[in-house]
Amino acid sequence: MQTYRLAPDDRAKPASSPPAADEVLSGLNPEQREAAAATDGPVLIIAGPGSGKTRALTHRIAYLVATGKARPSQVLAITFTNKAAREMRERVDRLVGGDISRYMTIGTFHATFARVLRREAEALGYTPDFSIYDTDDSQRAVRQLMESYHIDPKQFTPRAMLGLISSAKNRLVGPSEYARLAVGAAQEKAAKLYPAYQDLLRKSNAMDFDDLLLRPIDLFRNHPEVLDRYRERWRFVHVDEYQDTNHAQYVLTKLLADGHRNLCVVGDDAQSIYAFRGADISNILSFQRDYPEATTVRLEQNYRSSKSIVRLADGIIRNNTKQLEKNLWTDNDEGEPILVLEALSEKDEAQKVERRIRDLCVRRGLRYRDIAVLYRTNAQSRSMEEALRREDVPYRIVGGVSFYQRREIKDALAYMRLAVNPHDSGSLRRIMNVPVRGIGDKSQDLLFAWAERAGLSAWEALQRIDEVSDLGSRAVRTMTAFRDLVAGFIEAAPTAPAGDLARRIVNETGLMHELLREQTLENLVRRENLEELVSAIQSFTEDPDTESTLSAFLQEVSLLTDADERGTGDDKVTLMTLHASKGLEFAAVFVTGLEEGLFPLSGAAQNPEDLEEERRLFYVGTTRAERLLYLTYARSRYRYGEQESAVRSRFLDELDPSLLRTETGDPFASRPDRFAPRPAVKYDTLAPDYFRASLRPEPGVGARKPGAPPTFGRGTPGLGAGALRGPAPAPRRLPEEERPRRDAYDEDETRRIVYDEEPPSALATGMRVEHSLFGEGKIIAMEGSGAQAKATVFFPEVGQKKLMLRLANLRRIG
DNA sequence: TATCTCAACCTTTTT
DNA sequence: GGTTGAGATA
């Protein structure tokens, strides 16, 4: 968790005296130096991959402070991720000395303005304890609304509806304007939901991710004196990864910077990969129009990659039409040719990658942490994980389901949100019957409908439960019990230490108890997660550097992704999506799944703009590599539960073959004519099962009809893979799942395992241990002590687990 | 009202 | 392969 002070006293001298200005700039090349030292007026830094753009930005911040141009608190730096923010802080501290960065505002747009909103909530009619809804929460809300508006969730998914609303919000289009602009069935439905959705959020004292940007804009526009305060405070504004800002972020930046015009943005239009969530590349392209007096610096030298990688990447991006001309070059060695690996299936692909990884470590002396495996979709991580696990190669997955996204955690968090913000009807709905307490959907609907009619929040309606018509006596009874339970939490929230309250909630609601009912692997992990949540809350609120309330914790946590998690230090291979790899670098990189329909994704291949974004994504992926780059594809892949044949990606054939080698050492042969029209192939069902091909339309065949409106999110219904498929193969019997037999534990046994066992002492890294459910494994790391002691154990059978010793009952063996 | 079973449908990418 | 929704049953 990052430290943040609302009212820092940074006039106090930093621990060590600031270094001389030119000292801060040493170690930069002339262009970077120019960018860092241009501190008067707007600056645009156009920078290629690996050019040290974030570095230039960081040095600029240090330079501002060292020259006395800015006090630390006057610095605002917006990064793309929390992790980037943390790294920037560390570097600033190293450059300037001491812990100067704590006085600066460094963070993502969302985190920064969530804190602003916390301070200014009243001016907007919210309380500082407002809830933050993530995409999941928002989707639930939309789904709820769709029910009352009788919109069929099959025809229009909540996800798609929310997407439309969200993109309207990002463009600052309000509900009434959107209703005027809406074209087509989907948008008209969304136009109905939009005002209701906003209404629901406001009544719940809640904001979604978009609101975190929109409400500050409202604030600044309607309260000029507040805007002046923030302009005064943040005299120097910096935005990293500017190519990925959306319209709301653009407006926000402009509002803040227009007074003093000390705005420095850094970006690379070629690395814009977030258009799908509203990023607007024209923000960076029109910077010079908005700020004609801006200094523009180009960073074109690449320090990261070998010549062949830079040349390959340059070749990729030249296939795009809309691109600022840039001259990428590097002084680095020629390096090695890029290797293309062809595999039979995704399993084979994973195995080939895994072998290469071990080879790189054994023969080339790379460490695991120097290696990254990148893929287009999260689903692809599975086969890779299996292969690595089989050979005991340690790995870390970035992204995917993060800790705070897990169901049990979200349930617990919902109770806590409700405790600090009782009007949060979304959270109330989520947990009213969790764990199951006999309050069914029907009763809930009645309650919510009544609340709606009475203009009350669901919580207020619960206070007047006797007046709610049509409720059965049983429902009234269970709801009253629920109300009294939650009332206890609400009452305790303002005064009780947050850790205590969290523990109370986990215990008294029965969330924990529920997980004791059945002794499964799943439940054990869930219990440990709840324990970990409670201790996380404890340590957050005990930290003197942060605002130590439960509601502050809840707000911080809803903006956390696990890309941000600790443990960058340990030696593991990194697995992540191409999107998540932005800004990182590795000695060796595998870009996997280079197949038509996957990368580029099938939906994107039809639309030239989407295709260019996919290509930029490929560009981003390849430029993560310093020395070794591998491009892999499989000729068949398991998707939607069936093995489908695959064609290698067009991106491979766009590459300069002279830079590529195949596994046998032969040059790579491109097939430029691959996209010429071909007769549709028919596969009969007698073909070996794993080569059964889906009869997907060939690329191009399924393209949008000319003149038809663009479809958002989903393709044309009815033309999916299922429509043309032959008879389904006989279902394959899965081996009986290995579960502990229920009768292996009697009541006493269960309790003993969970509570009474002394924490096994004298466990240490490297020891082999046995776990009742996971089997045998090896301890990779230990942390914490006493009741909080945890061990990270690698189980060959199930993978890596972090276990609380108090609960896990580990036995040393061997 | 809760819980079980079966079938449809599904997948981008994320602050 | 996994999830989610509908329908049947206790």
Side-chain angles (χ1 to χ4, degrees), chain A residues 403-404 531-541 553 788:
Chain A
F403 181 74
Y404 289 102
E531 283 294 336
E532 200 171 331
L533 175 67
V534 172
S535 36
I537 291 173
Q538 229 149 27
S539 57
F540 176 84
T541 50
F553 174 86
Q788 302 299 318

Side-chain angles (χ1 to χ4, degrees), chain A residues 91-354:
Chain A
R91 266 188 261 179
V92 167
D93 287 343
R94 228 176 300 137
L95 280 172
V96 184
D99 55 352
I100 198 87
S101 73
R102 70 196 299 176
Y103 302 112
M104 301 177 175
T105 306
I106 301 179
T108 62
F109 270 106
H110 289 85
T112 302
F113 288 97
R115 287 167 185 151
V116 168
L117 284 167
R118 194 173 166 77
R119 264 184 105 186
E120 315 290 342
E122 266 101 9
L124 289 160
Y126 290 83
T127 78
D129 296 327
F130 61 85
S131 303
I132 297 177
Y133 281 8
D134 65 14
T135 312
D136 197 54
D137 302 321
S138 303
Q139 262 183 49
R140 292 171 66 93
V142 169
R143 183 181 297 270
Q144 210 71 60
L145 288 170
M146 285 173 71
E147 226 164 88
S148 37
Y149 281 78
H150 306 292
I151 300 173
D152 179 10
K154 282 249 168 81
Q155 199 184 356
F156 304 102
T157 61
R159 182 199 168 90
M161 291 291 102
L162 182 64
L164 290 172
I165 293 171
S166 170
S167 80
K169 288 173 83 168
N170 278 327
R171 283 177 286 129
L172 305 189
V173 176
S176 51
E177 194 184 345
Y178 188 72
R180 277 203 308 280
L181 296 173
V183 177
Q187 292 189 18
E188 276 165 23
K189 300 286 180 202
K192 280 214 179 82
L193 293 167
Y194 187 2
Y197 173 68
Q198 285 305 98
D199 202 44
L200 184 94
L201 287 173
R202 178 164 283 278
K203 279 197 187 136
S204 299
N205 192 28
M207 304 204 202
D208 66 7
F209 282 155
D210 302 320
D211 285 332
L212 294 177
L213 306 172
L214 296 189
R215 297 283 86 90
I217 292 176
D218 289 349
L219 176 74
F220 290 158
R221 283 188 172 162
N222 300 331
H223 303 267
E225 74 288 353
V226 179
L227 175 58
D228 283 343
R229 221 166 67 220
Y230 280 94
R231 278 182 178 169
E232 189 55 37
R233 162 148 192 196
W234 289 324
R235 304 281 305 176
F236 293 88
V237 179
H238 305 78
V239 184
D240 200 1
E241 307 285 10
Y242 194 65
Q243 76 281 355
D244 284 317
T245 50
N246 64 27
H247 185 65
Q249 292 165 331
Y250 165 82
V251 170
L252 212 39
T253 308
K254 207 156 180 305
L255 278 171
L256 277 177
D258 264 357
H260 44 66
R261 296 172 89 78
N262 288 320
L263 171 64
C264 173
V265 303
V266 190
D268 177 4
D269 57 309
Q271 292 185 65
S272 159
I273 53 175
Y274 281 96
F276 72 90
R277 71 168 204 220
D280 185 354
I281 201 164
S282 65
N283 290 347
I284 195 164
L285 301 180
S286 59
F287 189 86
Q288 283 156 311
R289 195 200 56 217
D290 289 340
Y291 301 93
E293 77 275 32
T295 311
T296 302
V297 182
R298 287 168 173 276
L299 304 179
E300 295 178 320
Q301 180 174 1
N302 178 303
Y303 291 92
R304 178 185 297 153
S305 311
S306 69
K307 280 203 175 64
S308 35
I309 291 170
V310 170
R311 232 181 281 139
L312 184 94
D314 197 48
I316 292 170
I317 210 64
R318 280 183 195 285
N319 286 300
N320 275 4
T321 53
K322 286 186 247 167
Q323 221 57 232
L324 288 179
E325 187 69 17
K326 242 187 314 282
N327 248 328
L328 279 191
W329 63 281
T330 183
D331 245 355
N332 294 343
D333 291 343
E334 185 61 34
E336 298 180 42
I338 287 102
L339 208 56
V340 178
L341 307 178
E342 182 188 81
L344 291 176
S345 64
E346 86 282 357
K347 269 191 168 166
D348 189 33
E349 181 190 43
Q351 198 179 43
K352 283 193 156 143
V353 170
E354 167 264 306

Side-chain angles (χ1 to χ4, degrees), chain A residues 574-644:
Chain A
T574 306
L575 269 52
M576 61 187 155
T577 64
L578 288 140
H579 282 90
S581 75
K582 188 164 82 153
L584 306 177
E585 59 186 19
F586 299 88
V589 168
F590 294 82
V591 179
T592 65
L594 277 156
E595 294 138 40
E596 283 297 306
L598 187 60
F599 193 23
L601 222 43
S602 51
Q606 271 120 54
N607 174 338
E609 281 186 12
D610 291 348
L611 185 62
E612 295 215 342
E613 177 145 320
E614 295 281 307
R615 202 177 274 119
R616 290 194 292 270
L617 194 54
F618 187 36
Y619 176 74
V620 167
T622 52
T623 52
R624 300 307 95 199
E626 291 166 2
R627 286 150 52 200
L628 295 156
L629 177 61
Y630 300 85
L631 308 174
T632 74
Y633 65 96
R635 296 200 0 211
S636 76
R637 185 171 293 273
Y638 208 67
R639 284 181 97 183
Y640 310 117
E642 266 184 283
Q643 201 77 28
E644 298 178 347

Side-chain angles (χ1 to χ4, degrees), chain A residues 787-809:
Chain A
Q788 302 299 318
K790 286 174 215 152
T792 308
V793 186
F794 188 84
F795 298 98
E797 314 263 312
V798 275
Q800 191 175 311
K801 300 276 173 206
K802 197 180 222 173
L803 304 165
M804 294 207 120
L805 296 186
R806 194 152 54 85
L807 299 173
N809 191 28

